[in-house]
Amino acid sequence: ISVVPSRLFYDGRLLDGPDMVQKTRKPWHANEKFGEYRFFNVKGVEEKGASHSLINRSEVQVAVALYNRLRQEYSTFDFDFKIGIVTMYRAQMRELRRAFEQRFGSNITSVVDFNTVDGFQGQEKDIIILSCVRAGPNLQKVGFLAGRYFGLSVSLALIIRS
């Protein structure tokens, strides 16, 4: 998973420690639907949520579906405490949490970490589902997200964008 950050941010100079590919290999890495990085281009639209924060309901639906698919296809794997649902906007985080609770029950928030990028920094998870939120016709810039990146230690990043 370090290949993309190494190329994008470090001109290929970021290197893994010895045998990291073998040490970090997970069953879903061989799956064409999941792999190590997957980008899902959702035809969603951002909306104003609470406190002028943004939400994207289409991305929420895709995040729920991705989580459900992972649990179904890898039902023998214990995903508890190994998945983070991350977004840039507090309203989107609340919407994601609400949808996950509705679909999987209120206990989901004790085994899956829902947070904003800022609130999640420094944590490690096997899987990150990242909801980018910003979308819509005539969207020219992404506000405070322009030029920002963050470091997370994960074995799969499922990036949902509209």
Side-chain angles (χ1 to χ4, degrees), residues 93-144:
M93 180 191 66
R94 286 191 293 268
E95 190 69 17
L96 284 158
R97 187 182 295 134
R98 184 199 57 74
F100 271 73
E101 286 176 342
Q102 186 175 18
R103 174 68 173 85
F104 303 107
S106 60
N107 187 48
I108 193 72
T109 58
S110 64
V111 295
V112 172
D113 188 4
F114 295 83
N115 219 325
T116 61
V117 171
D118 291 339
F120 196 86
Q121 280 186 330
Q123 295 188 52
E124 294 185 16
K125 297 291 181 191
D126 286 341
I127 296 171
I128 293 295
I129 298 176
L130 175 68
S131 175
C132 296
V133 179
R134 299 302 306 260
N138 305 318
L139 182 67
Q140 298 295 317
K141 55 185 178 176
V142 292
F144 78 91

Coordinates of all heavy atoms in Angstrom, one line a residue, residues 93-144:
M93 N -19.6 12.2 8.6 CA -19.3 11.2 9.6 C -20.5 10.8 10.4 O -20.8 9.6 10.6 CB -18.2 11.7 10.6 CG -17.9 10.7 11.7 SD -16.8 11.4 13.0 CE -18.0 12.5 13.7
R94 N -21.3 11.8 10.8 CA -22.6 11.5 11.5 C -23.6 10.7 10.6 O -24.2 9.8 11.0 CB -23.2 12.8 12.0 CG -22.5 13.3 13.2 CD -23.3 14.5 13.9 NE -23.4 15.6 13.0 CZ -22.6 16.7 13.0 NH1 -21.5 16.7 13.9 NH2 -22.8 17.7 12.2
E95 N -23.6 11.1 9.3 CA -24.5 10.4 8.4 C -24.1 9.0 8.1 O -24.9 8.0 8.1 CB -24.6 11.2 7.1 CG -25.6 10.7 6.1 CD -27.0 11.0 6.5 OE1 -27.3 11.9 7.4 OE2 -28.0 10.4 6.0
L96 N -22.8 8.7 8.0 CA -22.2 7.4 7.9 C -22.6 6.5 9.1 O -23.0 5.4 9.0 CB -20.7 7.5 7.7 CG -20.2 7.9 6.3 CD1 -18.8 8.4 6.3 CD2 -20.4 6.7 5.3
R97 N -22.3 7.1 10.3 CA -22.6 6.4 11.5 C -24.1 6.0 11.6 O -24.4 4.9 11.9 CB -22.2 7.2 12.7 CG -22.3 6.4 14.0 CD -21.9 7.3 15.2 NE -20.5 7.7 15.2 CZ -20.1 8.9 15.4 NH1 -20.9 9.9 15.7 NH2 -18.8 9.2 15.3
R98 N -24.9 7.0 11.3 CA -26.4 6.7 11.3 C -26.8 5.6 10.4 O -27.5 4.7 10.7 CB -27.2 8.0 11.0 CG -28.7 7.8 11.1 CD -29.4 8.9 10.4 NE -29.1 9.0 9.0 CZ -29.5 8.1 8.0 NH1 -30.3 7.1 8.4 NH2 -29.2 8.3 6.8
A99 N -26.3 5.6 9.1 CA -26.6 4.6 8.1 C -26.1 3.2 8.5 O -26.8 2.2 8.3 CB -26.1 5.0 6.8
F100 N -24.9 3.2 9.1 CA -24.3 1.9 9.5 C -25.1 1.3 10.7 O -25.4 0.1 10.8 CB -22.8 2.1 9.9 CG -21.9 1.9 8.8 CD1 -21.8 2.8 7.8 CD2 -21.1 0.7 8.7 CE1 -20.9 2.7 6.7 CE2 -20.2 0.6 7.6 CZ -20.1 1.5 6.6
E101 N -25.5 2.2 11.6 CA -26.3 1.7 12.8 C -27.7 1.2 12.3 O -28.2 0.2 12.8 CB -26.5 2.9 13.8 CG -25.3 3.2 14.6 CD -25.5 4.3 15.5 OE1 -26.5 5.1 15.3 OE2 -24.7 4.5 16.5
Q102 N -28.2 1.9 11.3 CA -29.5 1.5 10.8 C -29.4 0.1 10.1 O -30.3 -0.8 10.2 CB -30.0 2.5 9.8 CG -31.4 2.2 9.3 CD -31.9 3.4 8.4 OE1 -31.1 4.2 7.9 NE2 -33.2 3.4 8.2
R103 N -28.3 -0.1 9.4 CA -28.2 -1.4 8.6 C -27.6 -2.5 9.5 O -28.0 -3.7 9.3 CB -27.2 -1.1 7.4 CG -26.8 -2.3 6.6 CD -28.0 -2.9 5.9 NE -27.6 -4.0 5.0 CZ -27.5 -5.3 5.3 NH1 -27.7 -5.6 6.6 NH2 -27.1 -6.2 4.5
F104 N -26.7 -2.2 10.4 CA -26.0 -3.3 11.1 C -26.3 -3.3 12.6 O -25.7 -4.2 13.3 CB -24.5 -3.2 10.9 CG -24.1 -3.2 9.4 CD1 -23.7 -2.1 8.8 CD2 -24.2 -4.4 8.7 CE1 -23.3 -2.1 7.4 CE2 -23.8 -4.4 7.3 CZ -23.4 -3.3 6.7
G105 N -27.0 -2.4 13.1 CA -27.4 -2.3 14.5 C -26.5 -1.3 15.3 O -25.4 -1.0 14.8
S106 N -26.9 -0.9 16.4 CA -26.2 0.1 17.2 C -24.8 -0.3 17.7 O -23.9 0.5 17.9 CB -27.0 0.6 18.4 OG -27.3 -0.5 19.2
N107 N -24.6 -1.6 17.8 CA -23.3 -2.2 18.2 C -22.2 -1.9 17.2 O -21.0 -1.9 17.6 CB -23.4 -3.7 18.5 CG -22.2 -4.2 19.1 OD1 -21.6 -3.7 20.0 ND2 -21.7 -5.3 18.5
I108 N -22.5 -1.5 16.0 CA -21.5 -1.3 14.9 C -20.5 -0.2 15.3 O -19.3 -0.3 15.0 CB -22.1 -1.0 13.6 CG1 -21.1 -1.1 12.4 CG2 -22.8 0.4 13.6 CD1 -20.7 -2.5 12.1
T109 N -20.9 0.8 16.1 CA -20.0 1.8 16.5 C -19.0 1.4 17.5 O -18.0 2.1 17.7 CB -20.8 3.1 17.0 OG1 -21.6 2.7 18.1 CG2 -21.7 3.7 15.9
S110 N -19.2 0.3 18.1 CA -18.2 -0.2 19.1 C -17.1 -1.1 18.4 O -16.1 -1.4 19.0 CB -18.9 -1.0 20.2 OG -19.5 -2.1 19.7
V111 N -17.4 -1.5 17.1 CA -16.4 -2.4 16.5 C -15.8 -1.7 15.2 O -14.8 -2.2 14.6 CB -17.0 -3.8 16.1 CG1 -17.3 -4.5 17.4 CG2 -18.2 -3.7 15.2
V112 N -16.4 -0.7 14.7 CA -15.9 0.1 13.5 C -15.7 1.5 14.0 O -16.5 2.1 14.6 CB -16.9 0.0 12.4 CG1 -16.5 0.9 11.2 CG2 -17.1 -1.4 11.8
D113 N -14.5 2.1 13.6 CA -14.2 3.4 14.0 C -14.7 4.4 12.9 O -14.2 4.4 11.8 CB -12.7 3.5 14.2 CG -12.2 4.8 14.8 OD1 -13.1 5.7 15.1 OD2 -11.0 5.1 14.9
F114 N -15.6 5.3 13.3 CA -16.1 6.4 12.4 C -15.4 7.7 12.9 O -15.5 8.0 14.1 CB -17.6 6.5 12.6 CG -18.3 5.3 12.1 CD1 -18.5 4.2 12.9 CD2 -18.8 5.3 10.8 CE1 -19.2 3.1 12.5 CE2 -19.5 4.2 10.4 CZ -19.7 3.1 11.2
N115 N -14.7 8.4 11.9 CA -14.1 9.6 12.4 C -13.8 10.5 11.2 O -13.9 10.1 10.0 CB -12.8 9.3 13.1 CG -12.5 10.2 14.3 OD1 -12.8 11.3 14.2 ND2 -11.9 9.6 15.3
T116 N -13.4 11.7 11.5 CA -12.9 12.6 10.4 C -11.5 12.4 10.2 O -10.8 11.7 11.0 CB -13.1 14.1 10.8 OG1 -12.3 14.3 12.0 CG2 -14.6 14.5 11.1
V117 N -10.9 12.9 9.1 CA -9.5 12.7 8.9 C -8.7 13.2 10.0 O -7.7 12.5 10.5 CB -9.1 13.4 7.5 CG1 -7.6 13.4 7.4 CG2 -9.8 12.7 6.4
D118 N -9.0 14.4 10.5 CA -8.2 15.0 11.6 C -8.3 14.1 12.8 O -7.3 13.9 13.5 CB -8.7 16.4 11.9 CG -8.3 17.4 10.8 OD1 -7.4 17.1 10.0 OD2 -9.0 18.4 10.7
G119 N -9.5 13.6 13.1 CA -9.7 12.8 14.3 C -9.1 11.4 14.2 O -8.8 10.8 15.3
F120 N -8.8 11.0 13.0 CA -8.3 9.6 12.8 C -6.8 9.6 12.8 O -6.2 8.5 12.9 CB -8.9 9.0 11.5 CG -8.7 7.5 11.5 CD1 -9.6 6.7 12.0 CD2 -7.6 7.0 10.8 CE1 -9.4 5.3 12.0 CE2 -7.4 5.6 10.7 CZ -8.3 4.8 11.3
Q121 N -6.2 10.7 12.6 CA -4.7 10.7 12.4 C -4.0 9.9 13.5 O -4.3 10.0 14.6 CB -4.2 12.1 12.3 CG -4.4 12.8 11.0 CD -3.8 14.2 10.9 OE1 -3.6 14.9 11.9 NE2 -3.4 14.5 9.7
G122 N -3.0 9.2 13.0 CA -2.1 8.4 13.9 C -2.6 7.0 14.2 O -1.9 6.2 14.8
Q123 N -3.8 6.7 13.8 CA -4.4 5.4 14.1 C -4.0 4.4 13.0 O -3.6 4.8 11.9 CB -5.9 5.4 14.2 CG -6.4 6.2 15.3 CD -7.9 6.0 15.5 OE1 -8.4 4.9 15.5 NE2 -8.6 7.2 15.5
E124 N -4.1 3.1 13.2 CA -3.8 2.1 12.3 C -5.1 1.2 12.2 O -5.6 0.8 13.2 CB -2.6 1.2 12.7 CG -1.3 2.0 12.7 CD -0.1 1.1 13.0 OE1 -0.3 -0.1 12.9 OE2 0.9 1.6 13.3
K125 N -5.4 0.8 11.0 CA -6.5 -0.1 10.7 C -6.1 -1.0 9.5 O -5.3 -0.5 8.7 CB -7.8 0.6 10.4 CG -8.4 1.5 11.5 CD -8.9 0.7 12.7 CE -9.4 1.6 13.8 NZ -9.7 0.9 15.0
D126 N -6.7 -2.1 9.4 CA -6.4 -3.0 8.3 C -7.1 -2.4 7.0 O -6.6 -2.5 5.9 CB -6.9 -4.4 8.5 CG -6.0 -5.2 9.4 OD1 -4.9 -4.8 9.6 OD2 -6.5 -6.2 10.0
I127 N -8.3 -1.8 7.2 CA -9.1 -1.3 6.1 C -9.6 0.1 6.4 O -10.1 0.3 7.5 CB -10.3 -2.3 5.8 CG1 -9.8 -3.6 5.4 CG2 -11.3 -1.7 4.8 CD1 -10.9 -4.7 5.3
I128 N -9.5 1.0 5.5 CA -10.1 2.3 5.6 C -11.0 2.5 4.4 O -10.7 2.2 3.3 CB -9.0 3.4 5.5 CG1 -8.0 3.4 6.7 CG2 -9.6 4.8 5.3 CD1 -8.7 3.7 8.0
I129 N -12.3 2.9 4.7 CA -13.2 3.3 3.7 C -13.3 4.8 3.8 O -13.7 5.4 4.9 CB -14.6 2.7 3.9 CG1 -14.5 1.1 3.8 CG2 -15.6 3.2 2.9 CD1 -15.8 0.4 4.1
L130 N -12.8 5.5 2.8 CA -12.7 7.0 2.8 C -13.8 7.6 2.0 O -13.8 7.3 0.8 CB -11.3 7.4 2.3 CG -11.1 8.9 2.2 CD1 -11.1 9.6 3.5 CD2 -9.8 9.2 1.4
S131 N -14.6 8.4 2.5 CA -15.6 9.1 1.8 C -15.2 10.5 1.6 O -15.0 11.3 2.5 CB -16.9 9.1 2.6 OG -17.9 9.9 2.0
C132 N -15.0 10.9 0.3 CA -14.4 12.2 -0.1 C -15.4 13.3 0.0 O -15.1 14.5 0.2 CB -13.7 12.1 -1.4 SG -12.3 11.0 -1.4
V133 N -16.7 13.0 -0.3 CA -17.9 13.9 -0.2 C -18.0 14.9 -1.3 O -19.1 15.0 -1.9 CB -17.9 14.7 1.2 CG1 -19.1 15.6 1.3 CG2 -17.9 13.7 2.4
R134 N -17.0 15.7 -1.6 CA -17.1 16.8 -2.6 C -17.5 16.3 -4.0 O -16.8 15.5 -4.5 CB -15.8 17.6 -2.7 CG -15.4 18.2 -1.4 CD -16.4 19.2 -0.7 NE -16.9 20.2 -1.6 CZ -16.4 21.5 -1.6 NH1 -15.5 21.9 -0.8 NH2 -17.0 22.4 -2.4
A135 N -18.6 16.8 -4.5 CA -19.1 16.4 -5.8 C -20.2 17.3 -6.2 O -20.8 18.0 -5.5 CB -19.6 15.0 -5.7
G136 N -20.5 17.2 -7.5 CA -21.6 17.9 -8.1 C -21.3 18.6 -9.4 O -20.1 18.7 -9.7
P137 N -22.3 19.0 -10.1 CA -22.1 19.7 -11.3 C -21.3 21.0 -11.1 O -21.6 21.7 -10.1 CB -23.5 19.9 -11.9 CG -24.4 19.7 -10.8 CD -23.7 18.9 -9.7
N138 N -20.4 21.3 -12.0 CA -19.7 22.6 -11.9 C -18.8 22.8 -10.7 O -18.3 23.9 -10.4 CB -20.6 23.8 -12.0 CG -21.5 23.7 -13.3 OD1 -21.0 23.3 -14.3 ND2 -22.8 24.0 -13.1
L139 N -18.4 21.7 -10.0 CA -17.5 21.8 -8.9 C -16.1 22.0 -9.5 O -15.6 21.2 -10.2 CB -17.5 20.5 -8.1 CG -16.6 20.5 -6.8 CD1 -17.1 21.5 -5.8 CD2 -16.6 19.1 -6.2
Q140 N -15.5 23.1 -9.1 CA -14.2 23.5 -9.7 C -13.1 23.3 -8.7 O -11.9 23.1 -9.1 CB -14.2 25.0 -10.1 CG -15.2 25.2 -11.2 CD -14.9 24.5 -12.5 OE1 -13.7 24.5 -12.9 NE2 -15.9 23.9 -13.1
K141 N -13.3 23.4 -7.4 CA -12.3 23.2 -6.4 C -12.8 22.5 -5.2 O -14.0 22.4 -5.0 CB -11.7 24.5 -6.0 CG -12.7 25.5 -5.5 CD -12.0 26.9 -5.2 CE -13.0 27.9 -4.8 NZ -12.4 29.1 -4.4
V142 N -11.9 22.0 -4.4 CA -12.4 21.2 -3.3 C -12.1 21.8 -1.9 O -11.9 21.1 -0.9 CB -11.8 19.7 -3.3 CG1 -12.3 19.0 -4.5 CG2 -10.2 19.8 -3.4
G143 N -12.0 23.1 -1.9 CA -11.9 23.8 -0.7 C -10.6 23.5 0.1 O -9.5 23.4 -0.4
F144 N -10.8 23.2 1.4 CA -9.7 22.9 2.3 C -8.9 21.6 1.9 O -7.8 21.4 2.4 CB -10.1 23.0 3.8 CG -10.8 21.7 4.2 CD1 -10.0 20.7 4.7 CD2 -12.1 21.6 4.1 CE1 -10.7 19.5 5.2 CE2 -12.8 20.5 4.6 CZ -12.0 19.4 5.1

